[in-house]
């Protein structure tokens, strides 16, 4: 059955250009969106930029630009980066757009009218990196923000508060009934812990900033001396983009899936659902959370620590597909992963140059050399039974892993079949058969070519450019998007001329 999937990335701050961490989440959502589209579902894939707040003002000032001019430049860099990486979001939202201001003000007014926003005084430890007040537990032993390694500033001011406390018990109850709403499981537990801690300290959420301190934001509809707190503004992007208040909204919102890294679990796992409850909008369907890419000294890669890689440089060097493959295969979704040139080179050489690249290269070369295909009327080879059994298992595993956001396992399940195919080549030795038994050699090579087509069909979400190139070369038709037997896969008869190398082995810089 055809269903809808609304898939979102966080909207990224424009205080610096995109790095590997941003690329990872956006590529993961793109991979997932392609998978859903291949399954025949309707997808709306959203990304964008988060442009208000203190830290953007500071970043603009450091470059001698107005916030608006500065945001235009960096937001454009994000948009262009995704295009260069071959990503295909359906929309790119900017929180400085008029369509967003209207929705933020409408939601604020609705919650204010319902009596869930009130004026109050607050003193707390504010981290400008996180753009929120931190609790003592969120500080390290030096009293710094554990994420940004900077001392928070003590800020005391009159602000408007959202009665988050009123909705926390309700949210906790709903979550306990539906634990898969936040996954992997560790993050579900973390959110429950955060809810309990917030209930214990009894604090509500400050949702405004006085214009005396900050003007770069969306004005509160009920007090023109204040702008909206950047997180309250930013989270609403997810409903703005699909037309909150129009008939388009509900069908997409019912299938809302947010992907984030664990740094922003609290705003998404606690602020956002309680805001939605207060605004009488159903809570998102699912929140999926991944870990960090760690750079030098195993620290989170980030712009503030200055240890992050530029995804565009890497894509220039490796190609879009190889970068994408490395990121999606290397990180166990949910856990942290280490990034280094060496780890990347080992992964790409092992999987793309050796396992898959060799299989493609030697099979196609022999088909050409022995002039025996692709030929759809070649009889099946005796290895076919084992290959079909492996494809049947693959289909079940692959679909299940994707449903659980285990991208790394979904990819690995395809490589189980690729390794089997390499073993078939080694065991049956087509180069020897070519001398002794040409009909069997032709049967074997055609069966292998079909099997290569089958695995490329599975690799489309993660290697979109390479798989399209070779599926076109082989003139492949398949009865199913993810075939479970070779019977479903046909290759048109042709004589292969030339083809590009599948993946060029990487050599160490030393
Ligand atoms: O938090 N490893 O924006 P942001 C993995 N504007 N992912 C990483 C990463 C790393 N080392 N570094 C960044 C904000 N990311 C807010 C979001 S949403 C309504 C507002 C990715 O620019 C990851 O997706 O700091 C993380 O959650 C996000 O970038 C934070 O981006």
């Amino acid at each position: 059955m055809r269903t809808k999937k609304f898939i979102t990335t966080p909207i990224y701050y424009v205080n610096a250009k995109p790095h590997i961490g941003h690329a990872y989440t956006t590529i993961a959502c793109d991979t997932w969106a392609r998978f859903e589209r291949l399954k025949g579902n309707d997808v709306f894939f959203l990304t964008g930029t988060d442009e208000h707040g203190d830290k953007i003002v500071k970043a603009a000032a450091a470059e001698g630009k107005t916030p608006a001019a500065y945001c235009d430049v960096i937001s454009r860099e994000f948009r262009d980066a995704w295009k260069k990486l071959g990503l295909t979001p359906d929309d790119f939202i900017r929180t400085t757009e008029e369509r967003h201001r209207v929705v933020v003000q409408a939601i604020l007014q609705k919650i204010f009218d319902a009596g869930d926003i009130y004026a109050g005084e607050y003193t707390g430890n504010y981290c400008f990196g996180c753009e929120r007040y931190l609790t003592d537990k969120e500080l390290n032993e030096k009293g710094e923000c554990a994420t940004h390694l900077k001392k928070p500033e003590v800020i005391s001011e009159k602000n408007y508060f959202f009665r988050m406390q009123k909705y926390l018990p309700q949210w906790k109850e709903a979550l306990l009934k539906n634990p898969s709403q936040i996954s992997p499981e560790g993050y579900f537990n973390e959110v429950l812990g955060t809810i309990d801690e917030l209930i214990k300290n009894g604090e509500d959420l400050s949702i405004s900033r006085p214009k005396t301190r900050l003007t770069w934001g969306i004005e509160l509809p009920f007090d023109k001396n204040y702008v909206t707190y950047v997180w309250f503004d930013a989270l609403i992007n997810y409903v703005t983009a699909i037309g909150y208040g129009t008939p388009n909204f509900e069908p997409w919102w019912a299938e809302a899936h947010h992907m984030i890294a664990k740094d922003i679990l609290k705003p998404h796992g606690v602020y956002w659902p309680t805001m939605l409850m207060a605004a009488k909008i159903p809570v998102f369907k699912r929140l999926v959370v991944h870990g960090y890419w760690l750079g030098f000294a195993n620290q989170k890669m980030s712009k503030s620590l200055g240890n992050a890689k530029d995804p565009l440089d890497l894509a220039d060097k490796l190609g879009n597909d190889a970068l994408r493959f490395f990121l999606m295969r290397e990180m166990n979704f949910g856990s942290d992963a280490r990034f280094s040139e060496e780890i990347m080179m080992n992964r790409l050489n092992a999987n793309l140059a050796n396992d898959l690249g060799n299989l493609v290269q030697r099979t196609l070369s022999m088909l050409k050399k022995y002039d025996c295909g692709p030929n759809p009327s070649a009889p099946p080879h005796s290895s076919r039974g084992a290959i079909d059994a492996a494809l049947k298992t693959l289909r079940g595993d692959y679909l299940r892993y994707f449903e659980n956001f285990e991208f790394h396992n979904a990819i690995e399940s395809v490589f189980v079949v690729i390794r089997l195919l390499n073993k078939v080549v080694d065991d049956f030795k087509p180069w020897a058969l070519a001398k002794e038994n040409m009909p069997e050699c032709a049967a074997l090579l055609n069966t292998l070519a079909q099997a290569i087509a089958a695995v490329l069909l599975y690799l489309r979400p993660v290697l979109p450019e390479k798989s399209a190139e070779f599926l076109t070369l082989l003139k492949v038709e398949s009865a199913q998007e993810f075939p479970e037997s070779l019977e479903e896969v046909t290759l048109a008869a042709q004589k292969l001329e030339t083809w590009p190398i599948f993946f060029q082995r990487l050599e160490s810089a030393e």
Side-chain angles (χ1 to χ4, degrees), residues 122-362:
Y122 188 79
T123 305
N125 284 314
Y126 197 82
C127 169
F128 285 92
C130 296
E131 287 282 21
R132 60 183 177 84
Y133 290 101
L134 301 182
T135 62
D136 291 345
K137 273 201 182 149
E138 290 171 306
L139 305 177
N140 65 17
E141 46 315 326
K142 290 191 204 151
E144 297 165 336
C145 163
T147 306
H148 294 94
L149 307 183
K150 279 207 181 110
K151 270 217 160 62
E153 282 179 36
V154 177
I155 288 189
S156 181
E157 61 196 12
K158 182 195 152 200
N159 267 309
Y160 285 89
F161 288 80
F162 160 54
R163 283 187 209 286
M164 184 167 68
Q165 288 294 332
K166 181 171 157 189
Y167 296 95
L168 288 171
Q170 228 169 297
W171 170 226
K172 181 178 172 184
E173 204 183 306
L175 201 50
L176 284 170
K177 281 198 198 124
N178 185 14
S180 67
Q181 204 167 357
I182 299 182
S183 65
E185 201 187 348
Y187 299 109
F188 161 79
N189 290 325
E190 198 175 320
V191 168
L192 285 183
T194 307
I195 296 175
D196 285 341
E197 193 194 330
L198 286 167
I199 291 178
K200 212 163 95 195
N201 75 21
E203 279 169 20
D204 281 327
L205 181 68
S206 157
I207 54 118
S208 66
R209 297 292 177 262
K211 280 195 184 165
T212 47
R213 175 155 83 79
L214 175 76
T215 53
W216 185 240
I218 296 176
E219 194 176 283
L220 293 186
F222 43 81
D223 189 338
K224 62 178 176 12
N225 296 316
Y226 287 83
V227 294
T228 311
Y229 166 49
V230 64
W231 268 107
F232 199 95
D233 159 354
L235 288 161
I236 290 175
N237 93 84
Y238 300 131
V239 300
T240 302
I242 49 169
Y244 175 71
T246 72
N248 193 49
F249 176 70
E250 262 168 47
W252 284 111
W253 184 249
E255 286 297 331
H257 295 67
H258 301 311
M259 188 189 288
I260 58 166
K262 61 185 177 182
D263 51 347
I264 52 177
L265 183 58
K266 189 172 178 179
H268 283 81
V270 184
Y271 302 168
W272 183 222
T274 54
M275 283 166 61
L276 287 165
M277 287 174 154
K280 307 212 168 12
I281 303 171
V283 174
F284 50 77
K285 185 153 187 182
R286 214 162 164 188
L287 175 65
V288 294
V289 188
H290 62 76
Y292 292 152
W293 282 99
L294 306 175
F296 183 70
N298 282 348
Q299 280 188 326
K300 178 195 178 200
M301 280 190 162
S302 75
K303 48 209 159 198
S304 50
L305 301 180
N307 60 349
K309 284 271 171 198
D310 182 339
L312 296 179
D313 284 351
L314 288 168
D316 275 346
K317 245 191 265 168
L318 307 166
N320 286 342
D321 274 18
L323 172 65
R324 180 179 177 109
F325 181 88
F326 168 71
L327 294 174
M328 297 314 299
R329 174 62 188 84
E330 190 66 28
M331 178 174 262
N332 282 10
F333 195 88
S335 312
D336 295 346
R338 250 166 46 74
F339 185 99
S340 78
E341 302 268 335
E342 194 190 348
I343 296 172
M344 194 168 70
M345 193 175 80
N346 289 343
R347 167 64 68 195
L348 293 176
N349 281 346
N351 285 171
L352 293 189
N354 294 357
D355 293 343
L356 181 54
N358 267 346
L359 175 69
V360 171
Q361 187 56 28
R362 54 188 182 157

